[in-house]
Amino acid sequence: MTRQLPPFGEGVRDPNRSLSNHACWAGQGSVTLNLKKPEARRLALDLVATCDVVIENFGPGVMNELELGYDALRRVRPDLVMFSMPAAGLTGPMKDIRTYGLSLTSTTGLDSLVGYLGGPPIPVENAFSDPLNGIFGAFAILTALHHRAATGQGQHIDYSQQEAVMQLVGPAFLDWELNRREGGPLGNRHPRAMAAPHGVFPCSGDDRWISIACSSDAEWKALAAAMGSPAWSAAAGLGSIAGRLAHLDAIHEHVAAWTQGQDVNALAATLQAAGVAAAPVLSVADLLHDPHLTARGTFVEVTHPLGFRETIYGAYVKMSVSQPAVRTGPMIGQDNERVFREILGLSDERYQALVDAQIIF
Amino acid sequence: MSRGALAGIRVIELGEGVSAAFCAKLFADYGALVVKVEPPGRGDVTRTWGPFPGDVPHPEKSGTYFFLNTSKKSVALDLEVGADLARVRELIAGADVLIENLPVSELERYGLDPASVAALNPALVMISITPFGHTGPYAGWRGHDLNAYHLSGASHRYCGRPGEAPLEHGTFAADFFGAMTAAAWGLAAVLGRERVGSGQHLDVSSAEAIAAAFVGGQNIGGYAQDGKWERRTGVGMPLGAPATILPCADGHVWMLALEPGQWNGLVEVMGDPEWAQLDMFQDMFQRAQNSDVIYPFIEEWLADKSKFDVMARCQAAGVPVTAVFLVGEAAEQEHLKERGYLVTLDHPDLGRVRTLGAPFKLPASPGGPSRGAPRLGEHTAEVPASGSEGRRQGVPPVRRRFRRSAPRACRSRASASPTSAGCGRARWWARRWVSSAPRSSRSSRGRGST
């Protein structure tokens, strides 16, 4: 489905040219099988027999309907690690819940915490849970592979995206447990009220902001000094975090009046030099030009097999020994011949017959 | 009792706050032996964060600390004190993984920068989680979760109303994202040690991880090619409708009905109102273009409805509408209880505490919190004084394993000073907490004692 999403490489609408998702598939292979046909399912089983891990994100029961459930796969690969990641897990009264990635978070309590102070919940406009669950799912699979290395035993991982994302609510959950208190939107305030000031403040230009967080009295003193020690900052009580929290709205207004009109990058550098945790709030366009992300090679340009150049994210974790080489995402079915003829050993005739019958297509 | 999937992995945790602690908790809850090093007297800063029962501060009763530190051991050692630092270095010398979130300048001051740590233990996987990372012009910057999240582009693009401040995600979103990312890549490095022939250092910037995987993934290709980019709208999905959070009688619902079947289902649940037949509402794009008309209609219908009732009726009609659960409502949902997601643990100061359980289920090697968070320094006495464990006891098993397969990486062992690279810590780890020791260590210990 995501192959149909614009924008497309060189503006040509083509399922091999969707720019929006290639980064997620970087380095992967692709085969095409029509799983509605029994012969395709047999090929899938033959392929699974050569694999360590199967990853799927259908709703609960769909793999069983395809006759590719864990029991079927385990018969051909006894130590298989199978990873299923439905929205709310494989069992339980809500297992068949329908959500989108961006609304799944509403069932964890997380969405109830996003918004301006005292206001209604504001929707996060893309599925934060999608990349989070993809990456964290890799951790789940690796734990099972570690267990397999020690015992020889595979298993079927029941990964509920809801339960994984709900971990982010941990501190607020404990407030419910210990005090029966419901959290709510806090704007950019510290979730545990342990830093002040703590927010984003306007700078010069269109929609430019700087984040400033003072988690210690020393940081606050440094900020006050950087602002030129205005009279209001010397008011009694502001030297302690409790005092600053008591006057947080007024402090934030003062800081905003000071940041307004200043250049965000110069201000961040000035505040950092003074010992204040401050950083620019980046836009999408900034991501590609920010000197820090540029220096770290966060985004890289690669050449797609169709010849166009595209920019995707690179290895966003830097490994000192085994840094991965990032390649473009696969064309549909680009690995059919390698997989079905070389790995599974189909003869030329048999392979061609399967292609002609649209089993491999 | 079944051992956790990560039994046998020995982890040292250094630092403060959310990111390193949560990453190490993930290892601990799945069976790794995790030793958390805290400053004596005050402990991890999250011990002061609460929530505390009845809002009475107590260093052993912080809910945030409790959540982040289940299944771990706590040793109170002061990195500013030479003898304590030496003990930490010995722990590191015998560990498989070091998870830390200290500023680079502090690592260097303690002689715990990646190069020094690699010399101390070439087989170690060192995982550094910081807001900005160890390299690049912001590497030396001070930063907290707030700064990292807003540097990622996530807020400017996806969260907040136009013209108003971009918003954080309502929790320590960058710290958590960075921690989960670090756990995944870090465990891969642990499993890959035999293959690459050594341990290695992982430099995780939580801002960069979100900038790449969340924001960049779906925005940067189009921007790089066409120069077009977008920013937050305050609406859930501005191109299709309905796709936003709307108020109802007792809270809010995530109102989503995009595909034709979903829209038809919603219309049916709403009782087939006349307005829904208007031409301007016949596909999701048209509905979005007329959102100023359609959202008031839907809000009017929702005004006297309960969010869970709306959710149940919509879900039954195949419409992906959900209630916006408050934290307590999320905590008490029957679904999670039936799945056994919530676990209750004993704690000497907090009593019985219910917390979030395993984030994923491994039937063959169950995970999840096995013990409440440790008291400050509860396990300090189990750590021997520096140098007290025998240099006579031979080469630590982890390094033995790598000697043959990793000539290049292990050559640096020769350059480590005899005192810092003294022997026996891995043996000490294995003997001291043998219940968590891996098979390989046990057999190595047998060999090592000859």
Side-chain angles (χ1 to χ4, degrees):
Chain A
M1 188 278 280
T2 52
R3 286 185 178 275
Q4 311 303 328
L5 292 180
F8 296 95
E10 298 174 320
V12 179
R13 181 173 285 270
D14 175 326
N16 286 318
R17 289 171 172 267
S18 170
L19 297 177
S20 72
N21 287 281
H22 277 172
C24 311
W25 309 331
Q28 295 182 15
S30 168
V31 298
T32 46
L33 277 176
N34 180 1
L35 289 175
K36 294 194 177 102
K37 309 248 181 152
E39 288 143 296
R41 287 200 292 272
R42 271 197 294 280
L43 286 172
L45 287 173
D46 289 347
L47 188 54
V48 168
T50 71
C51 291
D52 298 296
V53 179
V54 168
I55 298 170
E56 61 94 7
N57 72 346
F58 295 118
V62 172
M63 288 292 274
N64 285 334
E65 285 162 24
L66 292 169
E67 295 171 33
L68 295 171
Y70 178 58
D71 287 338
L73 301 188
R74 188 169 53 166
R75 271 196 291 279
V76 299
R77 178 78 193 204
D79 65 352
L80 182 74
V81 170
M82 179 167 172
F83 179 71
S84 295
M85 54 186 312
L90 293 168
T91 64
M94 215 167 75
K95 73 176 167 59
D96 295 316
I97 187 173
R98 292 164 188 261
T99 69
Y100 279 59
L102 84 174
S103 63
L104 169 82
T105 40
S106 69
T107 66
T108 69
L110 183 57
D111 284 0
S112 75
L113 303 176
V114 184
Y116 298 95
L117 181 67
I122 302 277
V124 177
E125 301 178 46
N126 195 10
F128 190 65
S129 53
D130 278 354
L132 185 82
N133 283 315
I135 294 166
F136 190 51
F139 176 77
I141 291 164
L142 289 161
T143 61
L145 288 174
H146 190 263
H147 178 77
R148 191 186 73 166
T151 64
Q153 190 180 22
Q155 57 187 310
H156 184 192
I157 304 170
D158 177 3
Y159 183 104
S160 159
Q161 298 197 33
Q162 177 195 29
E163 289 170 6
V165 171
M166 196 163 165
Q167 298 283 315
L168 275 63
V169 180
F173 174 87
L174 262 293
D175 205 13
W176 169 257
E177 286 304 302
L178 298 175
N179 296 311
R180 283 293 179 263
R181 190 157 46 210
E182 300 271 21
L186 291 173
N188 284 302
R189 294 185 177 206
H190 190 276
R192 293 297 325 142
M194 293 306 293
H198 192 272
V200 303
F201 304 93
C203 291
S204 67
D206 173 26
D207 206 13
R208 291 277 163 195
W209 307 79
I210 189 168
S211 66
I212 298 175
C214 293
S215 64
S216 69
D217 296 339
E219 281 176 307
W220 160 246
K221 276 185 201 134
L223 174 63
M227 289 189 293
S229 303
W232 65 265
S233 72
L238 296 193
S240 76
I241 182 113
R244 292 195 298 280
L245 287 170
H247 300 95
L248 198 52
D249 285 337
I251 292 173
H252 282 175
E253 276 176 35
H254 280 299
V255 175
W258 177 71
T259 60
Q260 203 150 30
Q262 301 205 52
D263 175 77
V264 63
N265 292 307
L267 182 57
T270 301
L271 289 175
Q272 285 289 344
V276 179
V281 178
L282 298 189
S283 70
V284 167
D286 295 332
L287 292 181
L288 208 52
H289 310 296
D290 178 80
H292 185 69
L293 297 178
T294 306
R296 285 176 69 81
T298 306
F299 300 103
V300 295
E301 203 178 46
V302 294
T303 303
H304 190 272
L306 289 174
F308 62 88
R309 302 279 286 167
E310 62 175 342
T311 301
I312 60 177
Y313 59 79
Y316 51 90
V317 168
K318 315 306 177 195
M319 301 181 77
S320 64
V321 178
S322 52
Q323 188 69 356
V326 173
R327 289 169 288 143
T328 186
M331 308 263 281
I332 296 178
Q334 70 174 29
D335 300 286
N336 281 347
E337 295 218 358
R338 182 168 68 88
V339 167
F340 296 117
R341 297 172 67 174
E342 292 174 28
I343 297 178
L344 297 188
L346 298 185
S347 68
D348 293 355
E349 297 75 23
R350 176 81 181 125
Y351 177 76
Q352 196 53 51
L354 289 165
V355 170
D356 292 344
Q358 294 194 328
I359 288 161
I360 298 169
F361 74 110
Chain B
M1 194 180 129
S2 171
R3 299 184 339 147
L6 300 184
I9 297 179
R10 296 159 295 197
V11 181
I12 290 281
E13 176 198 327
L14 289 181
E16 302 232 38
V18 176
S19 61
F22 186 69
C23 182
K25 165 196 163 69
L26 294 168
F27 279 81
D29 285 351
Y30 283 96
L33 173 53
V34 175
V35 176
K36 179 183 180 80
V37 178
E38 299 185 70
R42 64 179 181 86
D44 191 322
V45 69
T46 58
R47 289 183 179 275
T48 68
W49 282 10
F52 304 104
D55 295 328
V56 180
H58 185 296
E60 300 297 350
K61 294 186 178 181
S62 162
T64 300
Y65 181 88
F66 185 90
F67 171 69
L68 293 171
N69 293 287
T70 49
S71 317
K72 297 180 190 173
K73 291 174 180 281
S74 165
V75 301
L77 293 170
D78 189 345
L79 298 178
E80 301 288 345
V81 173
D84 281 8
L85 180 58
R87 290 166 82 180
V88 170
R89 292 169 62 87
E90 295 206 8
L91 284 171
I92 292 172
D96 300 295
V97 182
L98 167 62
I99 299 172
E100 63 84 22
N101 64 358
L102 294 170
V104 176
S105 58
E106 284 189 38
L107 287 179
E108 285 169 356
R109 188 149 54 87
Y110 301 132
L112 296 176
D113 53 284
S116 303
V117 166
L120 190 61
N121 181 352
L124 184 83
V125 172
M126 176 174 177
I127 302 172
S128 299
I129 314 168
T130 54
F132 309 122
H134 278 205
T135 64
Y138 307 161
W141 278 16
R142 297 182 70 83
H144 304 291
D145 172 84
L146 180 84
N147 309 108
Y149 192 79
H150 285 292
L151 190 78
S152 73
S155 64
H156 196 281
R157 171 68 183 90
Y158 287 130
C159 196
R161 296 190 193 103
E164 294 183 54
L167 291 169
E168 218 275 5
H169 214 117
T171 182
F172 305 96
D175 283 345
F176 279 115
F177 199 103
M180 285 177 160
T181 300
W185 288 64
L187 185 54
V190 172
L191 266 63
R193 285 190 299 181
E194 307 265 1
R195 185 157 302 183
V196 304
S198 69
Q200 58 183 313
H201 177 234
L202 283 81
D203 170 16
V204 183
S205 152
S206 49
E208 182 182 24
I210 298 174
F214 179 45
V215 189
Q218 293 187 7
N219 291 280
I220 217 70
Y223 172 65
Q225 176 180 282
D226 303 324
K228 291 183 193 154
W229 57 280
E230 293 172 292
R231 62 182 86 184
R232 65 200 178 282
T233 67
V235 182
M237 203 188 278
L239 295 179
T244 192
I245 292 177
L246 294 176
C248 62
D250 59 352
H252 294 83
V253 293
W254 239 115
M255 177 53 64
L256 273 158
L258 297 173
E259 295 162 22
Q262 297 171 355
W263 171 248
N264 293 337
L266 177 64
V267 169
E268 192 189 315
V269 170
M270 290 191 297
D272 219 356
E274 224 169 291
W275 61 261
Q277 303 309 320
L278 292 173
D279 284 347
M280 69 168 86
F281 297 150
Q282 294 320 302
D283 72 52
M284 60 183 253
F285 304 108
Q286 285 187 57
R287 291 194 293 269
Q289 278 157 20
N290 297 294
S291 59
D292 54 334
V293 183
I294 193 172
Y295 283 138
F297 275 128
I298 300 177
E299 281 189 45
E300 193 185 349
W301 174 72
L302 286 168
D304 62 350
K305 308 284 185 306
S306 119
K307 60 185 176 183
F308 289 111
D309 186 47
V310 171
M311 175 176 170
R313 288 165 62 190
C314 285
Q315 290 283 337
V319 189
V321 169
T322 48
V324 176
F325 289 57
L326 300 181
V327 172
E329 292 164 345
E332 302 306 329
Q333 61 188 293
E334 206 49 43
H335 178 69
L336 296 182
K337 286 179 189 168
E338 270 197 35
R339 285 178 53 79
Y341 179 56
L342 305 169
V343 298
T344 301
L345 301 166
D346 288 315
H347 187 272
D349 303 294
L350 279 167
R352 286 175 72 70
V353 184
R354 198 172 65 146
T355 189
L356 304 178
F360 51 88
K361 295 188 186 305
L362 297 179
S365 48
S370 56
R371 292 190 305 271
R375 281 174 153 170
L376 175 57
E378 185 178 337
H379 306 92
T380 310
E382 295 180 19
V383 182
S386 173
S388 69
E389 289 290 313
R391 274 165 209 136
R392 58 195 181 276
Q393 289 176 339
V395 178
V398 174
R399 276 190 262 162
R400 283 171 59 101
R401 278 216 316 267
F402 285 95
R403 186 184 270 167
R404 259 162 292 142
S405 59
R408 193 160 58 96
C410 291
R411 205 175 293 145
S412 59
R413 278 178 52 230
S415 65
S417 72
T419 47
S420 69
C423 302
R425 289 107 192 177
R427 284 171 37 76
W428 166 77
W429 277 80
R431 189 177 65 249
R432 195 79 204 187
W433 290 314
V434 69
S435 64
S436 295
R439 282 160 193 214
S440 57
S441 289
R442 285 205 210 113
S443 58
S444 299
R445 190 175 61 162
R447 276 183 270 128
S449 63
T450 56

